Amino acid sequence: KLLAWMIVGGGGPERTPWSGLAMVGQAPESVVLSEFRARRGGQLRAQLADAGLVSQVASQVGPTRNGMLLASRFELSHVLDAAQGRMLCASVLGVRVIGVHVPDDQSLPKKAAFFQQLTALARLEREKPCVILGDFNTARRGPDTDQRAFRLEEKLGLLETLGFVDAWRRHHPGRREDSWVSALGAGRLDGAYVSAPLAHAVTDARYEHGPREQGLSDHSMLCVRLRVGVHRVAEGLGNGLFGAGGV
């Protein structure tokens, strides 16, 4: 079970403990967090580790800057930290997990550059078991938002051209559900795209709106279930709070 969530500004001093409890309550086996901040993130990391997600890697950005965190019950390997804290990749149980936080429309050149980098990586991984998930800051006008037009929405179509499948849309054809709701608008900005070799393994994809409705974030959690074979239990994961290879 993969959980992806944009926690907004590191979670905030009052929101952080409740955010950790909300994630743990979903019983995920791997977590992708956007806007994780190292200075405040120790509590979140400890909460996840206490729940068994002891293999953890974080973006190597400044302690007060937004980055990403990957945490898993299983060993994370072959880590790639890219795009200045907006992309964090690792392999877990033979699946390449690419966590993303796409820049928003206020910085269109950065958004375009990010999608260019992501598309290049997707081309390399498309014939392998791979999932790209997180906050895409992009929604398709019509099926995923009707309040505003997001720039570069065609880049989502390009991922599908490469063989990646929109996991939530596949399980909810024709349905409309917002994962982001704020005074600025609403839309399904958070998603998971799985490569063709992994598409058959997706058994469920859904949003958990409770934490957003409680004010912990303006984004809902995205939960995706994959049926993958566990060939071996990660070794040495009990060694230390953040597990072997934690950053």
mmCIF file of all heavy atoms in Angstrom, residues 128-179:
data_model
loop_
_atom_site.group_PDB
_atom_site.id
_atom_site.type_symbol
_atom_site.label_atom_id
_atom_site.label_comp_id
_atom_site.label_asym_id
_atom_site.label_seq_id
_atom_site.Cartn_x
_atom_site.Cartn_y
_atom_site.Cartn_z
ATOM 1 N N LYS A 128 9.848 -1.133 -17.200
ATOM 2 C CA LYS A 128 10.108 -1.778 -15.913
ATOM 3 C C LYS A 128 8.926 -1.491 -14.982
ATOM 4 O O LYS A 128 8.145 -0.573 -15.225
ATOM 5 C CB LYS A 128 11.398 -1.236 -15.296
ATOM 6 C CG LYS A 128 12.599 -1.277 -16.223
ATOM 7 C CD LYS A 128 13.759 -0.502 -15.623
ATOM 8 C CE LYS A 128 14.922 -0.367 -16.601
ATOM 9 N NZ LYS A 128 16.013 0.488 -16.057
ATOM 10 N N PRO A 129 8.789 -2.240 -13.894
ATOM 11 C CA PRO A 129 7.764 -1.909 -12.909
ATOM 12 C C PRO A 129 8.071 -0.547 -12.271
ATOM 13 O O PRO A 129 9.094 -0.380 -11.611
ATOM 14 C CB PRO A 129 7.857 -3.034 -11.880
ATOM 15 C CG PRO A 129 8.547 -4.154 -12.596
ATOM 16 C CD PRO A 129 9.500 -3.493 -13.544
ATOM 17 N N CYS A 130 7.211 0.424 -12.495
ATOM 18 C CA CYS A 130 7.484 1.790 -12.051
ATOM 19 C C CYS A 130 6.167 2.492 -11.728
ATOM 20 O O CYS A 130 5.164 2.310 -12.421
ATOM 21 C CB CYS A 130 8.236 2.549 -13.148
ATOM 22 S SG CYS A 130 8.550 4.292 -12.769
ATOM 23 N N VAL A 131 6.182 3.305 -10.679
ATOM 24 C CA VAL A 131 5.039 4.134 -10.337
ATOM 25 C C VAL A 131 5.529 5.558 -10.076
ATOM 26 O O VAL A 131 6.502 5.760 -9.343
ATOM 27 C CB VAL A 131 4.254 3.581 -9.126
ATOM 28 C CG1 VAL A 131 5.156 3.375 -7.917
ATOM 29 C CG2 VAL A 131 3.094 4.501 -8.770
ATOM 30 N N ILE A 132 4.895 6.516 -10.713
ATOM 31 C CA ILE A 132 5.188 7.935 -10.518
ATOM 32 C C ILE A 132 4.002 8.528 -9.773
ATOM 33 O O ILE A 132 2.872 8.497 -10.273
ATOM 34 C CB ILE A 132 5.363 8.657 -11.866
ATOM 35 C CG1 ILE A 132 6.440 7.971 -12.713
ATOM 36 C CG2 ILE A 132 5.714 10.128 -11.661
ATOM 37 C CD1 ILE A 132 6.503 8.475 -14.152
ATOM 38 N N LEU A 133 4.243 9.059 -8.588
ATOM 39 C CA LEU A 133 3.109 9.538 -7.806
ATOM 40 C C LEU A 133 3.468 10.749 -6.974
ATOM 41 O O LEU A 133 4.628 10.985 -6.649
ATOM 42 C CB LEU A 133 2.553 8.434 -6.898
ATOM 43 C CG LEU A 133 3.299 8.026 -5.640
ATOM 44 C CD1 LEU A 133 2.397 7.162 -4.755
ATOM 45 C CD2 LEU A 133 4.570 7.267 -5.961
ATOM 46 N N GLY A 134 2.447 11.541 -6.658
ATOM 47 C CA GLY A 134 2.632 12.728 -5.851
ATOM 48 C C GLY A 134 1.709 13.843 -6.310
ATOM 49 O O GLY A 134 0.647 13.616 -6.889
ATOM 50 N N ASP A 135 2.156 15.076 -6.061
ATOM 51 C CA ASP A 135 1.393 16.279 -6.402
ATOM 52 C C ASP A 135 1.869 16.776 -7.768
ATOM 53 O O ASP A 135 2.968 17.301 -7.899
ATOM 54 C CB ASP A 135 1.614 17.340 -5.323
ATOM 55 C CG ASP A 135 0.925 18.653 -5.636
ATOM 56 O OD1 ASP A 135 0.147 18.709 -6.602
ATOM 57 O OD2 ASP A 135 1.164 19.634 -4.900
ATOM 58 N N PHE A 136 1.025 16.632 -8.784
ATOM 59 C CA PHE A 136 1.388 17.037 -10.141
ATOM 60 C C PHE A 136 1.045 18.499 -10.424
ATOM 61 O O PHE A 136 1.409 19.018 -11.474
ATOM 62 C CB PHE A 136 0.694 16.129 -11.158
ATOM 63 C CG PHE A 136 1.299 14.758 -11.254
ATOM 64 C CD1 PHE A 136 0.939 13.765 -10.355
ATOM 65 C CD2 PHE A 136 2.237 14.462 -12.223
ATOM 66 C CE1 PHE A 136 1.501 12.503 -10.431
ATOM 67 C CE2 PHE A 136 2.810 13.207 -12.306
ATOM 68 C CZ PHE A 136 2.436 12.216 -11.403
ATOM 69 N N ASN A 137 0.358 19.158 -9.500
ATOM 70 C CA ASN A 137 -0.032 20.559 -9.690
ATOM 71 C C ASN A 137 -0.631 20.801 -11.075
ATOM 72 O O ASN A 137 -0.469 21.869 -11.668
ATOM 73 C CB ASN A 137 1.161 21.498 -9.452
ATOM 74 C CG ASN A 137 1.140 22.070 -8.044
ATOM 75 O OD1 ASN A 137 0.097 22.488 -7.544
ATOM 76 N ND2 ASN A 137 2.287 22.085 -7.389
ATOM 77 N N THR A 138 -1.302 19.809 -11.602
ATOM 78 C CA THR A 138 -1.880 19.852 -12.943
ATOM 79 C C THR A 138 -3.129 18.979 -12.952
ATOM 80 O O THR A 138 -3.118 17.890 -12.375
ATOM 81 C CB THR A 138 -0.893 19.316 -13.995
ATOM 82 O OG1 THR A 138 0.382 19.933 -13.808
ATOM 83 C CG2 THR A 138 -1.367 19.594 -15.408
ATOM 84 N N ALA A 139 -4.184 19.475 -13.569
ATOM 85 C CA ALA A 139 -5.403 18.686 -13.722
ATOM 86 C C ALA A 139 -5.979 18.948 -15.096
ATOM 87 O O ALA A 139 -5.850 20.048 -15.634
ATOM 88 C CB ALA A 139 -6.420 19.050 -12.634
ATOM 89 N N ARG A 140 -6.605 17.950 -15.650
ATOM 90 C CA ARG A 140 -7.184 18.081 -16.977
ATOM 91 C C ARG A 140 -8.536 18.785 -16.887
ATOM 92 O O ARG A 140 -9.421 18.373 -16.129
ATOM 93 C CB ARG A 140 -7.337 16.709 -17.615
ATOM 94 C CG ARG A 140 -5.992 16.081 -17.960
ATOM 95 C CD ARG A 140 -6.177 14.727 -18.598
ATOM 96 N NE ARG A 140 -4.903 14.221 -19.083
ATOM 97 C CZ ARG A 140 -4.776 13.028 -19.672
ATOM 98 N NH1 ARG A 140 -5.826 12.253 -19.846
ATOM 99 N NH2 ARG A 140 -3.591 12.631 -20.087
ATOM 100 N N ARG A 141 -8.668 19.838 -17.665
ATOM 101 C CA ARG A 141 -9.920 20.586 -17.683
ATOM 102 C C ARG A 141 -11.042 19.699 -18.201
ATOM 103 O O ARG A 141 -10.950 19.113 -19.269
ATOM 104 C CB ARG A 141 -9.769 21.821 -18.592
ATOM 105 C CG ARG A 141 -10.952 22.775 -18.562
ATOM 106 C CD ARG A 141 -11.014 23.495 -17.234
ATOM 107 N NE ARG A 141 -12.089 24.462 -17.202
ATOM 108 C CZ ARG A 141 -11.951 25.765 -17.496
ATOM 109 N NH1 ARG A 141 -10.765 26.226 -17.860
ATOM 110 N NH2 ARG A 141 -12.974 26.581 -17.422
ATOM 111 N N GLY A 142 -12.084 19.570 -17.407
ATOM 112 C CA GLY A 142 -13.210 18.724 -17.765
ATOM 113 C C GLY A 142 -13.296 17.527 -16.846
ATOM 114 O O GLY A 142 -14.084 17.541 -15.892
ATOM 115 N N PRO A 143 -12.463 16.499 -17.047
ATOM 116 C CA PRO A 143 -12.585 15.317 -16.179
ATOM 117 C C PRO A 143 -12.080 15.535 -14.765
ATOM 118 O O PRO A 143 -12.567 14.898 -13.839
ATOM 119 C CB PRO A 143 -11.753 14.255 -16.912
ATOM 120 C CG PRO A 143 -10.787 15.024 -17.736
ATOM 121 C CD PRO A 143 -11.529 16.261 -18.158
ATOM 122 N N ASP A 144 -11.103 16.437 -14.581
ATOM 123 C CA ASP A 144 -10.471 16.567 -13.264
ATOM 124 C C ASP A 144 -10.581 17.954 -12.639
ATOM 125 O O ASP A 144 -10.203 18.145 -11.492
ATOM 126 C CB ASP A 144 -8.993 16.165 -13.350
ATOM 127 C CG ASP A 144 -8.831 14.681 -13.665
ATOM 128 O OD1 ASP A 144 -9.666 13.890 -13.193
ATOM 129 O OD2 ASP A 144 -7.887 14.322 -14.380
ATOM 130 N N THR A 145 -11.059 18.943 -13.357
ATOM 131 C CA THR A 145 -11.308 20.260 -12.791
ATOM 132 C C THR A 145 -12.195 21.046 -13.751
ATOM 133 O O THR A 145 -12.123 20.862 -14.970
ATOM 134 C CB THR A 145 -10.004 21.046 -12.532
ATOM 135 O OG1 THR A 145 -10.319 22.276 -11.883
ATOM 136 C CG2 THR A 145 -9.247 21.335 -13.805
ATOM 137 N N ASP A 146 -13.045 21.902 -13.192
ATOM 138 C CA ASP A 146 -13.868 22.752 -14.045
ATOM 139 C C ASP A 146 -13.802 24.210 -13.608
ATOM 140 O O ASP A 146 -14.549 25.045 -14.099
ATOM 141 C CB ASP A 146 -15.323 22.281 -14.058
ATOM 142 C CG ASP A 146 -15.918 22.160 -12.663
ATOM 143 O OD1 ASP A 146 -15.317 22.700 -11.711
ATOM 144 O OD2 ASP A 146 -16.973 21.531 -12.532
ATOM 145 N N GLN A 147 -12.889 24.507 -12.687
ATOM 146 C CA GLN A 147 -12.814 25.851 -12.147
ATOM 147 C C GLN A 147 -11.709 26.697 -12.764
ATOM 148 O O GLN A 147 -11.763 27.912 -12.734
ATOM 149 C CB GLN A 147 -12.624 25.800 -10.620
ATOM 150 C CG GLN A 147 -13.783 25.140 -9.903
ATOM 151 C CD GLN A 147 -13.681 25.307 -8.408
ATOM 152 O OE1 GLN A 147 -13.097 26.262 -7.918
ATOM 153 N NE2 GLN A 147 -14.259 24.375 -7.662
ATOM 154 N N ARG A 148 -10.685 26.066 -13.289
ATOM 155 C CA ARG A 148 -9.567 26.811 -13.854
ATOM 156 C C ARG A 148 -8.797 25.908 -14.809
ATOM 157 O O ARG A 148 -8.924 24.688 -14.764
ATOM 158 C CB ARG A 148 -8.632 27.323 -12.758
ATOM 159 C CG ARG A 148 -8.079 26.224 -11.863
ATOM 160 C CD ARG A 148 -7.121 26.735 -10.827
ATOM 161 N NE ARG A 148 -5.862 27.152 -11.400
ATOM 162 C CZ ARG A 148 -4.801 27.503 -10.668
ATOM 163 N NH1 ARG A 148 -4.873 27.484 -9.349
ATOM 164 N NH2 ARG A 148 -3.680 27.864 -11.246
ATOM 165 N N ALA A 149 -8.025 26.526 -15.666
ATOM 166 C CA ALA A 149 -7.186 25.765 -16.588
ATOM 167 C C ALA A 149 -5.767 25.711 -16.031
ATOM 168 O O ALA A 149 -5.197 26.742 -15.662
ATOM 169 C CB ALA A 149 -7.185 26.421 -17.963
ATOM 170 N N PHE A 150 -5.216 24.527 -15.949
ATOM 171 C CA PHE A 150 -3.845 24.351 -15.492
ATOM 172 C C PHE A 150 -2.933 24.257 -16.711
ATOM 173 O O PHE A 150 -3.275 23.597 -17.704
ATOM 174 C CB PHE A 150 -3.716 23.090 -14.633
ATOM 175 C CG PHE A 150 -4.340 23.221 -13.278
ATOM 176 C CD1 PHE A 150 -5.679 22.919 -13.083
ATOM 177 C CD2 PHE A 150 -3.599 23.655 -12.193
ATOM 178 C CE1 PHE A 150 -6.267 23.038 -11.841
ATOM 179 C CE2 PHE A 150 -4.173 23.780 -10.944
ATOM 180 C CZ PHE A 150 -5.513 23.468 -10.772
ATOM 181 N N ARG A 151 -1.792 24.903 -16.620
ATOM 182 C CA ARG A 151 -0.853 24.905 -17.732
ATOM 183 C C ARG A 151 -0.141 23.564 -17.833
ATOM 184 O O ARG A 151 0.096 22.885 -16.845
ATOM 185 C CB ARG A 151 0.181 26.035 -17.541
ATOM 186 C CG ARG A 151 -0.427 27.412 -17.342
ATOM 187 C CD ARG A 151 -1.136 27.919 -18.591
ATOM 188 N NE ARG A 151 -0.199 28.107 -19.683
ATOM 189 C CZ ARG A 151 0.496 29.238 -19.856
ATOM 190 N NH1 ARG A 151 0.360 30.250 -19.005
ATOM 191 N NH2 ARG A 151 1.319 29.355 -20.885
ATOM 192 N N LEU A 152 0.209 23.210 -19.064
ATOM 193 C CA LEU A 152 0.979 22.008 -19.378
ATOM 194 C C LEU A 152 0.243 20.717 -19.028
ATOM 195 O O LEU A 152 0.858 19.688 -18.754
ATOM 196 C CB LEU A 152 2.351 22.032 -18.673
ATOM 197 C CG LEU A 152 3.247 23.225 -19.006
ATOM 198 C CD1 LEU A 152 4.545 23.152 -18.229
ATOM 199 C CD2 LEU A 152 3.539 23.288 -20.501
ATOM 200 N N GLU A 153 -1.070 20.755 -19.062
ATOM 201 C CA GLU A 153 -1.820 19.538 -18.757
ATOM 202 C C GLU A 153 -1.550 18.443 -19.788
ATOM 203 O O GLU A 153 -1.722 17.252 -19.503
ATOM 204 C CB GLU A 153 -3.312 19.823 -18.674
ATOM 205 C CG GLU A 153 -3.955 20.288 -19.970
ATOM 206 C CD GLU A 153 -5.454 20.462 -19.818
ATOM 207 O OE1 GLU A 153 -6.180 19.460 -19.979
ATOM 208 O OE2 GLU A 153 -5.888 21.585 -19.527
ATOM 209 N N GLU A 154 -1.074 18.843 -20.981
ATOM 210 C CA GLU A 154 -0.769 17.839 -22.002
ATOM 211 C C GLU A 154 0.376 16.923 -21.582
ATOM 212 O O GLU A 154 0.536 15.827 -22.137
ATOM 213 C CB GLU A 154 -0.429 18.528 -23.330
ATOM 214 C CG GLU A 154 0.870 19.306 -23.345
ATOM 215 C CD GLU A 154 0.735 20.740 -22.821
ATOM 216 O OE1 GLU A 154 -0.358 21.078 -22.309
ATOM 217 O OE2 GLU A 154 1.713 21.499 -22.935
ATOM 218 N N LYS A 155 1.174 17.347 -20.606
ATOM 219 C CA LYS A 155 2.281 16.503 -20.143
ATOM 220 C C LYS A 155 1.762 15.240 -19.453
ATOM 221 O O LYS A 155 2.446 14.213 -19.458
ATOM 222 C CB LYS A 155 3.189 17.293 -19.194
ATOM 223 C CG LYS A 155 3.825 18.526 -19.826
ATOM 224 C CD LYS A 155 4.703 18.169 -21.004
ATOM 225 C CE LYS A 155 5.404 19.407 -21.571
ATOM 226 N NZ LYS A 155 6.247 19.093 -22.746
ATOM 227 N N LEU A 156 0.573 15.328 -18.862
ATOM 228 C CA LEU A 156 -0.018 14.129 -18.272
ATOM 229 C C LEU A 156 -0.381 13.138 -19.376
ATOM 230 O O LEU A 156 -0.204 11.930 -19.228
ATOM 231 C CB LEU A 156 -1.252 14.499 -17.450
ATOM 232 C CG LEU A 156 -1.026 15.465 -16.285
ATOM 233 C CD1 LEU A 156 -2.346 15.759 -15.574
ATOM 234 C CD2 LEU A 156 -0.004 14.909 -15.307
ATOM 235 N N GLY A 157 -0.867 13.663 -20.490
ATOM 236 C CA GLY A 157 -1.161 12.809 -21.634
ATOM 237 C C GLY A 157 0.083 12.169 -22.210
ATOM 238 O O GLY A 157 0.044 11.028 -22.697
ATOM 239 N N LEU A 158 1.203 12.879 -22.132
ATOM 240 C CA LEU A 158 2.455 12.334 -22.634
ATOM 241 C C LEU A 158 2.882 11.122 -21.813
ATOM 242 O O LEU A 158 3.388 10.137 -22.366
ATOM 243 C CB LEU A 158 3.545 13.411 -22.613
ATOM 244 C CG LEU A 158 4.921 13.013 -23.141
ATOM 245 C CD1 LEU A 158 4.833 12.454 -24.555
ATOM 246 C CD2 LEU A 158 5.869 14.219 -23.102
ATOM 247 N N LEU A 159 2.674 11.175 -20.502
ATOM 248 C CA LEU A 159 2.987 10.006 -19.675
ATOM 249 C C LEU A 159 2.165 8.802 -20.117
ATOM 250 O O LEU A 159 2.681 7.675 -20.188
ATOM 251 C CB LEU A 159 2.709 10.314 -18.196
ATOM 252 C CG LEU A 159 3.670 11.260 -17.480
ATOM 253 C CD1 LEU A 159 3.210 11.505 -16.056
ATOM 254 C CD2 LEU A 159 5.093 10.696 -17.473
ATOM 255 N N GLU A 160 0.906 9.046 -20.450
ATOM 256 C CA GLU A 160 0.067 7.944 -20.900
ATOM 257 C C GLU A 160 0.518 7.442 -22.271
ATOM 258 O O GLU A 160 0.430 6.243 -22.563
ATOM 259 C CB GLU A 160 -1.391 8.374 -20.908
ATOM 260 C CG GLU A 160 -1.912 8.664 -19.501
ATOM 261 C CD GLU A 160 -3.401 8.938 -19.467
ATOM 262 O OE1 GLU A 160 -3.977 9.267 -20.523
ATOM 263 O OE2 GLU A 160 -3.985 8.813 -18.373
ATOM 264 N N THR A 161 0.994 8.339 -23.104
ATOM 265 C CA THR A 161 1.532 7.932 -24.408
ATOM 266 C C THR A 161 2.726 6.998 -24.226
ATOM 267 O O THR A 161 2.951 6.092 -25.046
ATOM 268 C CB THR A 161 1.956 9.163 -25.224
ATOM 269 O OG1 THR A 161 0.810 9.994 -25.439
ATOM 270 C CG2 THR A 161 2.546 8.774 -26.566
ATOM 271 N N LEU A 162 3.480 7.208 -23.168
ATOM 272 C CA LEU A 162 4.631 6.355 -22.865
ATOM 273 C C LEU A 162 4.213 5.026 -22.233
ATOM 274 O O LEU A 162 5.069 4.207 -21.899
ATOM 275 C CB LEU A 162 5.600 7.094 -21.931
ATOM 276 C CG LEU A 162 6.312 8.299 -22.534
ATOM 277 C CD1 LEU A 162 7.115 9.043 -21.459
ATOM 278 C CD2 LEU A 162 7.228 7.877 -23.672
ATOM 279 N N GLY A 163 2.919 4.837 -22.040
ATOM 280 C CA GLY A 163 2.432 3.570 -21.502
ATOM 281 C C GLY A 163 2.056 3.600 -20.042
ATOM 282 O O GLY A 163 1.617 2.578 -19.489
ATOM 283 N N PHE A 164 2.199 4.754 -19.393
ATOM 284 C CA PHE A 164 1.840 4.864 -17.985
ATOM 285 C C PHE A 164 0.327 5.034 -17.838
ATOM 286 O O PHE A 164 -0.309 5.762 -18.596
ATOM 287 C CB PHE A 164 2.576 6.031 -17.332
ATOM 288 C CG PHE A 164 4.027 5.748 -17.062
ATOM 289 C CD1 PHE A 164 4.969 5.861 -18.077
ATOM 290 C CD2 PHE A 164 4.448 5.348 -15.802
ATOM 291 C CE1 PHE A 164 6.310 5.591 -17.833
ATOM 292 C CE2 PHE A 164 5.785 5.077 -15.549
ATOM 293 C CZ PHE A 164 6.721 5.188 -16.573
ATOM 294 N N VAL A 165 -0.220 4.358 -16.857
ATOM 295 C CA VAL A 165 -1.666 4.327 -16.645
ATOM 296 C C VAL A 165 -2.020 5.142 -15.404
ATOM 297 O O VAL A 165 -1.380 5.012 -14.350
ATOM 298 C CB VAL A 165 -2.146 2.874 -16.465
ATOM 299 C CG1 VAL A 165 -3.631 2.833 -16.127
ATOM 300 C CG2 VAL A 165 -1.844 2.057 -17.713
ATOM 301 N N ASP A 166 -3.010 6.003 -15.530
ATOM 302 C CA ASP A 166 -3.538 6.768 -14.405
ATOM 303 C C ASP A 166 -4.293 5.792 -13.495
ATOM 304 O O ASP A 166 -5.400 5.353 -13.808
ATOM 305 C CB ASP A 166 -4.478 7.856 -14.932
ATOM 306 C CG ASP A 166 -5.051 8.747 -13.847
ATOM 307 O OD1 ASP A 166 -5.091 8.332 -12.671
ATOM 308 O OD2 ASP A 166 -5.485 9.868 -14.185
ATOM 309 N N ALA A 167 -3.679 5.427 -12.362
ATOM 310 C CA ALA A 167 -4.222 4.357 -11.518
ATOM 311 C C ALA A 167 -5.620 4.692 -10.995
ATOM 312 O O ALA A 167 -6.515 3.837 -11.000
ATOM 313 C CB ALA A 167 -3.277 4.087 -10.351
ATOM 314 N N TRP A 168 -5.819 5.930 -10.551
ATOM 315 C CA TRP A 168 -7.132 6.286 -10.003
ATOM 316 C C TRP A 168 -8.191 6.290 -11.103
ATOM 317 O O TRP A 168 -9.284 5.761 -10.924
ATOM 318 C CB TRP A 168 -7.066 7.648 -9.326
ATOM 319 C CG TRP A 168 -8.346 8.002 -8.638
ATOM 320 C CD1 TRP A 168 -8.715 7.692 -7.357
ATOM 321 C CD2 TRP A 168 -9.463 8.720 -9.207
ATOM 322 N NE1 TRP A 168 -9.978 8.161 -7.096
ATOM 323 C CE2 TRP A 168 -10.460 8.793 -8.211
ATOM 324 C CE3 TRP A 168 -9.701 9.289 -10.455
ATOM 325 C CZ2 TRP A 168 -11.679 9.432 -8.430
ATOM 326 C CZ3 TRP A 168 -10.920 9.923 -10.674
ATOM 327 C CH2 TRP A 168 -11.894 9.992 -9.675
ATOM 328 N N ARG A 169 -7.880 6.876 -12.240
ATOM 329 C CA ARG A 169 -8.841 6.953 -13.335
ATOM 330 C C ARG A 169 -9.214 5.558 -13.846
ATOM 331 O O ARG A 169 -10.363 5.302 -14.223
ATOM 332 C CB ARG A 169 -8.281 7.806 -14.475
ATOM 333 C CG ARG A 169 -9.174 7.947 -15.681
ATOM 334 C CD ARG A 169 -10.506 8.558 -15.339
ATOM 335 N NE ARG A 169 -10.384 9.942 -14.886
ATOM 336 C CZ ARG A 169 -11.349 10.585 -14.231
ATOM 337 N NH1 ARG A 169 -12.490 9.971 -13.952
ATOM 338 N NH2 ARG A 169 -11.180 11.843 -13.850
ATOM 339 N N ARG A 170 -8.257 4.652 -13.844
ATOM 340 C CA ARG A 170 -8.538 3.292 -14.313
ATOM 341 C C ARG A 170 -9.575 2.612 -13.433
ATOM 342 O O ARG A 170 -10.403 1.841 -13.915
ATOM 343 C CB ARG A 170 -7.249 2.470 -14.331
ATOM 344 C CG ARG A 170 -7.436 1.041 -14.814
ATOM 345 C CD ARG A 170 -6.113 0.376 -15.106
ATOM 346 N NE ARG A 170 -6.285 -0.951 -15.670
ATOM 347 C CZ ARG A 170 -5.313 -1.675 -16.188
ATOM 348 N NH1 ARG A 170 -4.093 -1.187 -16.259
ATOM 349 N NH2 ARG A 170 -5.543 -2.882 -16.656
ATOM 350 N N HIS A 171 -9.534 2.900 -12.141
ATOM 351 C CA HIS A 171 -10.469 2.276 -11.214
ATOM 352 C C HIS A 171 -11.748 3.085 -11.032
ATOM 353 O O HIS A 171 -12.706 2.592 -10.427
ATOM 354 C CB HIS A 171 -9.789 2.047 -9.860
ATOM 355 C CG HIS A 171 -8.865 0.866 -9.851
ATOM 356 N ND1 HIS A 171 -9.227 -0.368 -9.373
ATOM 357 C CD2 HIS A 171 -7.594 0.730 -10.300
ATOM 358 C CE1 HIS A 171 -8.226 -1.215 -9.514
ATOM 359 N NE2 HIS A 171 -7.217 -0.571 -10.066
ATOM 360 N N HIS A 172 -11.748 4.332 -11.527
ATOM 361 C CA HIS A 172 -12.929 5.181 -11.365
ATOM 362 C C HIS A 172 -13.232 5.902 -12.680
ATOM 363 O O HIS A 172 -13.232 7.138 -12.737
ATOM 364 C CB HIS A 172 -12.709 6.197 -10.243
ATOM 365 C CG HIS A 172 -12.306 5.589 -8.940
ATOM 366 N ND1 HIS A 172 -13.211 5.044 -8.057
ATOM 367 C CD2 HIS A 172 -11.074 5.413 -8.383
ATOM 368 C CE1 HIS A 172 -12.573 4.568 -7.006
ATOM 369 N NE2 HIS A 172 -11.274 4.785 -7.179
ATOM 370 N N PRO A 173 -13.519 5.163 -13.746
ATOM 371 C CA PRO A 173 -13.772 5.795 -15.048
ATOM 372 C C PRO A 173 -15.021 6.679 -14.991
ATOM 373 O O PRO A 173 -16.057 6.282 -14.464
ATOM 374 C CB PRO A 173 -13.955 4.597 -15.979
ATOM 375 C CG PRO A 173 -14.356 3.465 -15.093
ATOM 376 C CD PRO A 173 -13.641 3.692 -13.804
ATOM 377 N N GLY A 174 -14.881 7.887 -15.522
ATOM 378 C CA GLY A 174 -16.017 8.788 -15.592
ATOM 379 C C GLY A 174 -16.356 9.509 -14.310
ATOM 380 O O GLY A 174 -17.268 10.344 -14.276
ATOM 381 N N ARG A 175 -15.623 9.249 -13.255
ATOM 382 C CA ARG A 175 -15.925 9.862 -11.959
ATOM 383 C C ARG A 175 -15.154 11.159 -11.785
ATOM 384 O O ARG A 175 -14.063 11.328 -12.318
ATOM 385 C CB ARG A 175 -15.572 8.888 -10.836
ATOM 386 C CG ARG A 175 -15.923 9.364 -9.428
ATOM 387 C CD ARG A 175 -15.699 8.227 -8.445
ATOM 388 N NE ARG A 175 -15.827 8.652 -7.058
ATOM 389 C CZ ARG A 175 -15.704 7.848 -6.020
ATOM 390 N NH1 ARG A 175 -15.463 6.563 -6.217
ATOM 391 N NH2 ARG A 175 -15.821 8.305 -4.788
ATOM 392 N N ARG A 176 -15.709 12.080 -11.032
ATOM 393 C CA ARG A 176 -15.038 13.341 -10.704
ATOM 394 C C ARG A 176 -14.800 13.402 -9.201
ATOM 395 O O ARG A 176 -15.716 13.202 -8.414
ATOM 396 C CB ARG A 176 -15.903 14.524 -11.142
ATOM 397 C CG ARG A 176 -15.429 15.889 -10.632
ATOM 398 C CD ARG A 176 -14.106 16.310 -11.274
ATOM 399 N NE ARG A 176 -13.610 17.484 -10.590
ATOM 400 C CZ ARG A 176 -14.043 18.732 -10.825
ATOM 401 N NH1 ARG A 176 -14.991 18.932 -11.743
ATOM 402 N NH2 ARG A 176 -13.534 19.749 -10.181
ATOM 403 N N GLU A 177 -13.553 13.660 -8.793
ATOM 404 C CA GLU A 177 -13.213 13.743 -7.370
ATOM 405 C C GLU A 177 -12.012 14.668 -7.223
ATOM 406 O O GLU A 177 -10.991 14.460 -7.862
ATOM 407 C CB GLU A 177 -12.908 12.343 -6.824
ATOM 408 C CG GLU A 177 -12.859 12.274 -5.317
ATOM 409 C CD GLU A 177 -12.885 10.830 -4.810
ATOM 410 O OE1 GLU A 177 -13.253 9.925 -5.583
ATOM 411 O OE2 GLU A 177 -12.526 10.622 -3.632
ATOM 412 N N ASP A 178 -12.141 15.684 -6.381
ATOM 413 C CA ASP A 178 -11.058 16.641 -6.175
ATOM 414 C C ASP A 178 -10.130 16.161 -5.072
ATOM 415 O O ASP A 178 -10.575 15.756 -4.001
ATOM 416 C CB ASP A 178 -11.620 18.013 -5.791
ATOM 417 C CG ASP A 178 -12.437 18.647 -6.904
ATOM 418 O OD1 ASP A 178 -12.122 18.383 -8.080
ATOM 419 O OD2 ASP A 178 -13.388 19.392 -6.597
ATOM 420 N N SER A 179 -8.819 16.235 -5.330
ATOM 421 C CA SER A 179 -7.844 15.908 -4.283
ATOM 422 C C SER A 179 -7.263 17.169 -3.651
ATOM 423 O O SER A 179 -6.574 17.097 -2.641
ATOM 424 C CB SER A 179 -6.710 15.056 -4.858
ATOM 425 O OG SER A 179 -5.892 15.811 -5.752
#
